[in-house]
Amino acid sequence: MGTFITVDIGGTQIRAAAYPENERQALAIRKTSTRAGSEATFDRMVGLIRSVYPADRSVLSITVAAPGPVDPYSGVIAAAPNIPGWMNFPLRDRLEDEFHVPAHLGNDANLAALGEWRFGAGQGHAHLLYLTVSTGIGGGVITDNQLLLGARGLAAELGHVTVLPDGPQCGCGQRGHLEAVAAGPAIAGYVRDQMAQGANSILQGVSDLSARAVSQAARQGDDLAIKALARAGEFIGMALADFLVVFNPSIVIFGGGVSTSGELLFAPLRESLRMHVMEPAYVHDLVITTAALGDDAGLLGALALAHTMQQRVSV
Amino acid sequence: MGTFITVDIGGTQIRAAAYPENERQALAIRKTSTRAGSEATFDRMVGLIRSVYPADRSVLSITVAAPGPVDPYSGVIAAAPNIPGWMNFPLRDRLEDEFHVPAHLGNDANLAALGEWRFGAGQGHAHLLYLTVSTGIGGGVITDNQLLLGARGLAAELGHVTVLPDGPQCGCGQRGHLEAVAAGPAIAGYVRDQMAQGANSILQGVSDLSARAVSQAARQGDDLAIKALARAGEFIGMALADFLVVFNPSIVIFGGGVSTSGELLFAPLRESLRMHVMEPAYVHDLVITTAALGDDAGLLGALALAHTMQQRVSV
């Protein structure tokens, strides 16, 4: 019986897990901080992997979920937010050189989609759209039971479609992208701007205002916070109307912290989708739900990729 | 040696062709008018197919490219523009009942994409985006050498993404869709509106102004006509910036009458794409070109589908 090692590189933590070949319950999970002291991140990752490595060394592959632009074909990380020095970093080759087993690399949102399809809320859906809404907005798409990657592995960057031409600037430099108007920082920024213009809110005076604080205030009935979440939901619904005519999925799965806001986000989202969708056939029988894998989305998404790659090797 | 029959249902003509199993040169092509007299369209289509049917009856399949929403899985035409009475019309089953051979059905823009990928400008590209710009805007997408269909076969309706929120009404009823601002009627409509507001143009006094007339006037140096094509190109470039982050294709192929306007359309389109694309990696090595199959796109796209389906049967 072989073992799959998977690694999830997050903004604050790197986690590694070991899974028996036919199970989704990890034998062991260990974590380290993404930025910690002076030791190089790669060396700490190697140490972390060794800490979950099975004694019998029966490892089939090491599969890594990484944020930001990665090339799944070459295994190179173009740039990793929060990891200085990882520019065009050949992570796959470095891991294969170190451990002498096959290594694979995928974008974390893509792999979360694959994980939900294989193990989570999307099981049985051949056409699936996954959106994670947190500090950014990422996407992953399954079409006909295949992960959509594109020519250079850069497909499904669904936070970077334009929903408000000439709107606020996005982290990527362009204007009016979905991420720039509906991700966590945009939700908090909207509340800040409205308060600066005199709007009332229990959030007045809160320093370092976060989308989480806005979500809590909304649950307590704060009108401005409710409006901020509704506004994000409306923009997401508009973008979703486009994604439906583009992909025609049978399920849309929402992950990320902002998605835990419940109906305060999803009621306006569904209403906006209903208003903007081209025709009812696209929403007939469409499932809209939240992710099932929670914090383990990265590890289990990487495990799903490991399974897929293993099948290709076996065939 | 078997024969493939393919049929292309156009707005004005229905064409049928017979192809030897391993060739893309038709043995025979016949056509009839889409709307003609009182005889039912289906009966005329049957007669047309019989007129190209091989004497040895060695037909492997009949494959039909149809406009508008079709369900490729069930072979049902939801609605056919220009063919009254074809609402939820089970074309595949009707053809199989009539000819006792397998029949297949696909959306014409999807099949044109498949045809360009198999026989035309997109050969060798595993990730391909096709846009046809004429009286409407249709799309077809190949990802990892597979035609994107979606859960109900309704994917890749690329003319119905929003590029101008609250913009002009689209044929589908929504507002600001790409089709509503950049297809032929929108180009002609823009010129008409500007002339009504006093703009000068050699097109003044032309009745039934068409995009083709605008294109001709632009080639003659008419400023308003040039501006109208540039405006359409800018909107298409904006939408294309979104399509690239969504699909990450290695080639974009433009078909349809408006696409024959050359640099008057494509120079502003490329400039708009360059301005709006999220990052240069998406346009690095990207091929932007026009369709190679011309009037035979529907027949050859249906032939490409017939090949694909035949391989599945053989496997």
Side-chain angles (χ1 to χ4, degrees):
Chain A
M1 183 68 79
T3 305
F4 291 114
I5 303 278
T6 73
V7 180
D8 180 27
I9 304 177
T12 55
Q13 289 182 345
I14 299 176
R15 300 166 78 217
Y19 295 91
E21 193 168 353
N22 295 314
E23 292 181 31
R24 56 166 281 194
Q25 289 300 320
L27 295 166
I29 299 184
R30 297 278 186 282
K31 65 189 176 190
T32 182
S33 150
T34 304
R35 294 200 261 199
S38 60
E39 194 189 359
T41 306
F42 179 73
D43 293 339
R44 282 188 298 110
M45 182 187 291
V46 167
L48 192 69
I49 292 170
R50 290 202 195 289
S51 75
V52 299
Y53 224 77
D56 63 3
R57 304 186 152 272
S58 62
V59 172
L60 297 165
S61 63
I62 300 170
T63 308
V64 180
V70 309
D71 185 333
Y73 304 116
S74 67
V76 171
I77 293 188
N82 299 321
I83 307 181
W86 279 24
M87 294 289 288
N88 294 315
F89 186 74
L91 183 62
R92 184 189 67 191
D93 289 353
R94 290 289 300 272
L95 287 172
E96 292 189 345
D97 288 349
E98 188 73 34
F99 291 98
H100 307 288
V101 298
H104 313 296
L105 177 64
N107 167 281
D108 54 3
N110 282 351
L111 293 193
L114 199 64
E116 292 292 338
W117 168 79
R118 180 79 171 74
F119 302 117
Q123 292 177 67
H125 287 270
H127 304 269
L128 174 158
L129 185 77
Y130 171 84
L131 269 183
T132 172
V133 187
S134 57
T135 52
I137 293 184
V141 176
I142 308 283
T143 66
D144 202 13
N145 291 312
Q146 301 287 325
L147 182 63
L148 174 72
L149 290 173
R152 295 166 165 260
L154 299 172
E157 283 287 353
L158 304 184
H160 297 281
V161 299
T162 302
V163 293
L164 190 64
D166 303 318
Q169 191 165 35
C170 185
C172 74
Q174 290 291 346
R175 293 199 163 275
H177 283 178
L178 178 60
E179 176 169 309
V181 297
I187 293 170
Y190 175 80
V191 169
R192 261 196 316 271
D193 290 351
Q194 294 298 111
M195 290 192 306
Q197 288 171 40
N200 270 321
S201 170
I202 59 173
L203 292 164
Q204 243 136 6
V206 173
S207 62
D208 278 343
L209 185 63
S210 67
R212 182 190 298 255
V214 175
S215 190
Q216 282 168 350
R219 273 193 283 264
Q220 290 165 41
D222 185 75
D223 283 342
L224 179 58
I226 289 169
K227 197 171 161 195
L229 284 175
R231 182 173 174 273
E234 284 159 18
F235 280 122
I236 296 170
M238 284 171 60
L240 192 51
D242 282 359
F243 297 150
L244 295 189
V245 298
V246 164
F247 292 115
N248 184 208
S250 57
I251 187 170
V252 180
I253 301 173
F254 283 92
V258 174
S259 301
T260 62
S261 304
E263 284 304 295
L264 292 164
L265 180 75
F266 285 102
L269 189 161
R270 282 194 304 265
E271 175 60 15
S272 169
L273 174 60
R274 192 189 63 71
M275 279 175 57
H276 289 102
V277 73
M278 178 197 173
E279 57 166 89
Y282 288 99
V283 289
H284 185 70
D285 290 340
L286 177 72
V287 179
I288 298 180
T289 189
T290 49
L293 302 183
D295 289 343
D296 289 342
L299 291 174
L300 287 170
L303 181 62
L305 178 61
H307 283 181
T308 304
M309 300 305 287
Q310 190 70 17
Q311 282 161 2
R312 287 190 198 166
V313 172
S314 307
V315 167
Chain B
M1 183 69 79
T3 305
F4 291 114
I5 304 277
T6 74
V7 180
D8 180 27
I9 304 177
T12 55
Q13 289 183 345
I14 299 175
R15 300 165 78 216
Y19 294 92
E21 193 167 353
N22 295 314
E23 292 181 33
R24 55 167 282 196
Q25 290 299 321
L27 295 165
I29 299 183
R30 296 279 187 282
K31 63 190 177 189
T32 182
S33 152
T34 303
R35 294 201 258 199
S38 59
E39 194 189 357
T41 306
F42 180 74
D43 293 338
R44 282 187 297 111
M45 182 187 292
V46 166
L48 193 68
I49 291 170
R50 291 201 194 289
S51 74
V52 298
Y53 224 76
D56 64 4
R57 304 185 153 271
S58 61
V59 172
L60 297 165
S61 63
I62 300 170
T63 308
V64 180
V70 307
D71 185 333
Y73 303 116
S74 67
V76 171
I77 293 187
N82 299 321
I83 308 181
W86 278 26
M87 296 289 288
N88 294 315
F89 186 75
L91 183 62
R92 184 189 67 189
D93 288 354
R94 291 288 299 272
L95 287 172
E96 291 188 344
D97 287 349
E98 187 73 34
F99 291 98
H100 308 289
V101 297
H104 313 297
L105 176 65
N107 167 282
D108 54 3
N110 281 350
L111 293 193
L114 198 65
E116 293 291 338
W117 168 78
R118 180 78 171 74
F119 301 117
Q123 292 177 66
H125 287 268
H127 304 270
L128 174 159
L129 185 77
Y130 172 84
L131 270 182
T132 172
V133 187
S134 56
T135 51
I137 293 185
V141 176
I142 307 283
T143 67
D144 202 12
N145 292 312
Q146 300 287 326
L147 182 64
L148 175 72
L149 290 173
R152 295 166 165 260
L154 298 173
E157 283 286 353
L158 303 184
H160 297 282
V161 298
T162 302
V163 292
L164 189 64
D166 303 318
Q169 192 165 34
C170 186
C172 73
Q174 290 291 345
R175 293 200 162 273
H177 283 179
L178 178 60
E179 176 168 307
V181 296
I187 293 170
Y190 175 79
V191 169
R192 259 196 317 270
D193 289 350
Q194 294 299 111
M195 289 192 305
Q197 288 171 40
N200 270 321
S201 168
I202 59 175
L203 292 163
Q204 242 136 9
V206 174
S207 63
D208 277 344
L209 185 63
S210 66
R212 182 190 297 255
V214 175
S215 190
Q216 282 166 350
R219 273 194 282 266
Q220 291 165 42
D222 185 76
D223 283 341
L224 179 59
I226 289 170
K227 197 172 160 193
L229 283 176
R231 182 173 174 274
E234 283 159 19
F235 280 122
I236 296 170
M238 285 172 58
L240 192 50
D242 282 359
F243 298 150
L244 295 189
V245 298
V246 164
F247 292 116
N248 185 208
S250 56
I251 187 169
V252 179
I253 301 173
F254 284 91
V258 174
S259 301
T260 62
S261 304
E263 284 305 296
L264 292 164
L265 180 77
F266 284 102
L269 188 161
R270 283 194 303 267
E271 174 61 14
S272 169
L273 173 60
R274 193 188 63 72
M275 280 176 56
H276 290 101
V277 73
M278 178 197 174
E279 56 166 89
Y282 288 99
V283 289
H284 184 70
D285 290 342
L286 178 71
V287 178
I288 299 180
T289 189
T290 49
L293 302 182
D295 289 344
D296 289 344
L299 291 175
L300 287 170
L303 181 62
L305 177 62
H307 282 181
T308 304
M309 301 306 286
Q310 189 71 15
Q311 281 161 4
R312 288 191 196 164
V313 172
S314 306
V315 165

